[in-house]
Structures are given as structure tokens and as C-alpha cells.
Amino acid sequence: ALFISHMIGNINPRNVEFVSKQVVAMLSPNLELEKERDIRRMVDMMRMSNLTQSFEVQDLKYEASTRMVWVWGYKTIRMANGQRNAANPSSESSERSRWTYEFIIRLNEMGMPVVTHLDQYADTPHFDRAADVTEEGEILEPLKKNNKKDAKNHPENAKEQH
């Protein structure tokens, strides 16, 4: 989960094709089609906008009963050349936000890791969401936008941090 978070989270126009191939190769067949389309859109957007993305890991948590892994920290998006956005010259050259990657990873019959659930969102981890995702990665209850969680679900108050 940490490796994939670093791959997805640290993208620039030069490595975006490599990263997308590596990540797609680790996805389960169920996820491959859906996420490959998402990654392709991201690749196109980053190339056209000349953006880079970096991810600074703050912490992670693994929940053994559901096999869910959360990796969270800060994601920063900026122009690849460090200059201001031409479409909006008054804007800042970078945007930093809290970000969470969410995974379920299984081993295939050859012992290789296969990602059966992959999601990412702007916010701290939603630990109570693990019950809404099956072992195969099927999402029973989609994450709601602007969903405010109580203090027990925020990483600062989580008891089982790794």
C-alpha cells in the first residue's frame, strides 16, 4: 500500500506513463478496467496541464479484520515548470491538501500482491468505511462527499496506528 501510494502520489509528465503501467499491472481484473480509465484521464490531464503531483506520507493504518489499509498525508499539485498557471496568473503555483489512499491487497495464487480495492479522497481516513467494502473490493456504500466524521475516525485519535 505504501509503495502504490508513493507511485500514484508522485507523478510528473515524464513518469506518468510508467506509473500508470505499473499500477494497472497490480490491479485485480475487476478493478483493472475501471481504474485504467481513471488513470488514463489523469495521464491526459497532467500532460495537457503540465502538472506534477507529490505525496508526503504522514502515517498508515492496517485493519486485520477487513484487510483494509489507509495511507494518508499531504498531496501537492503544481505546474511542472514551477511557474504560475497561465489560465489563472493570480493563482498560487501549488496546491496542498490532506489526502488519503485506501487499499485492500490480496495475494494471488503465485504469491504476488493484487489490489482488489483502491480509492483515494481529499480528507483524513474514514476508518469506519472498511465495513462498507467487501474482501473482493466491492463497495457496498460509496463514500459521501463532505462527509463529516466524528473524532474517533480521525488519524490523530486512532488507537491502532502503525
Side-chain angles (χ1 to χ4, degrees):
L2 187 58
F3 170 75
I4 298 168
S5 297
H6 274 288
M7 290 286 290
I8 296 171
N10 294 288
I11 298 177
N12 61 59
R14 291 180 301 179
N15 74 359
V16 70
E17 197 69 42
F18 172 77
V19 169
S20 63
K21 285 179 185 176
Q22 297 304 309
V23 171
V24 168
M26 297 181 76
L27 300 178
S28 70
N30 294 341
L31 273 185
E32 196 171 324
L33 216 52
E34 172 194 345
K35 295 300 178 184
E36 189 170 20
R37 282 191 302 259
D38 293 345
I39 291 170
R40 179 63 40 210
R41 278 192 295 257
M42 179 187 65
V43 166
D44 294 342
M45 188 244 350
M46 291 194 73
R47 280 200 179 127
M48 289 187 326
S49 302
N50 199 29
L51 297 175
T52 65
Q53 174 178 296
S54 61
F55 181 64
E56 175 189 334
V57 175
Q58 186 178 18
D59 209 345
L60 63 88
K61 177 183 176 182
Y62 171 68
E63 184 176 280
S65 64
T66 61
R67 296 186 178 176
M68 183 82 77
V69 181
W70 295 267
V71 180
W72 66 90
Y74 292 94
K75 179 172 89 168
T76 303
I77 297 175
R78 66 176 51 99
M79 299 295 291
N81 57 10
Q83 296 178 2
R84 293 186 186 274
N85 183 344
N88 187 2
S90 64
S91 71
E92 291 294 319
S93 60
S94 66
E95 178 183 311
R96 187 172 193 241
S97 60
R98 295 195 58 102
W99 201 258
T100 298
Y101 291 97
E102 188 178 272
F103 302 92
I104 295 177
I105 302 172
R106 302 278 182 261
L107 297 180
N108 68 14
E109 58 279 349
M110 296 173 20
M112 298 297 293
V114 175
V115 178
T116 62
H117 170 72
L118 168 60
D119 201 1
Q120 56 179 307
Y121 45 89
D123 203 354
T124 54
H126 299 285
F127 297 131
D128 59 344
R129 183 163 183 238
D132 298 330
V133 180
T134 68
E135 282 192 28
E136 295 78 32
E138 183 182 345
I139 299 172
L140 304 175
E141 178 87 22
L143 188 63
K144 295 173 181 69
K145 298 276 187 205
N146 297 326
N147 193 2
K148 300 292 181 194
K149 300 292 178 183
D150 57 334
K152 71 176 183 169
N153 292 322
H154 287 271
E156 296 83 24
N157 300 323
K159 293 179 184 172
E160 184 186 339
Q161 290 184 3
H162 301 280

